[in-house]
Amino acid sequence: KAPESAPPPALKPGEVRTIPLSVTEKGYEPSPVTLRQGEPVKLVLTRTTDKTCATEIVLDEYHINTPLPLNQPVEVSFTPTQTGQLVYGCAMGKMIRGVFLVE
């Protein structure tokens, strides 16, 4: 199990936290990522491999299903509304997945 990441720094009101994520042959990296409840985040996802089924990000709780074209950064924004583990992944039943830990 990977060591827990440090909690994110507090943001100023109205500020959006930007999180770069890569989609590689290992999946979504980094994972897990710690988020704060009620704090808006903007994910910037870049898919760098064609060798997996992770060609989009699916986050059911926030009705996100966004295609990730190869080597093109894609922005996805949402605000976590509940604490706990938030699993996202590919459209194939999240065979390839990542985790957000919402505090």
Side-chain angles (χ1 to χ4, degrees), residues 27-70:
Y28 298 88
E29 298 181 301
S31 178
V33 174
T34 302
L35 306 178
R36 290 185 198 274
Q37 180 181 16
E39 185 177 271
V41 293
K42 178 171 70 179
L43 310 176
V44 181
L45 298 112
T46 306
R47 180 166 67 96
T48 60
T49 183
D50 233 356
K51 295 189 166 78
T52 72
C53 59
T55 56
E56 64 283 287
I57 179 170
V58 177
L59 187 56
D60 297 321
E61 292 85 347
Y62 296 92
H63 308 289
I64 292 168
N65 185 340
T66 303
L68 302 174
L70 192 61

Side-chain angles (χ1 to χ4, degrees), residues 16-27:
V16 175
R17 181 169 168 224
T18 300
I19 301 170
L21 287 175
S22 295
V23 185
T24 70
E25 288 184 41
K26 296 177 185 166

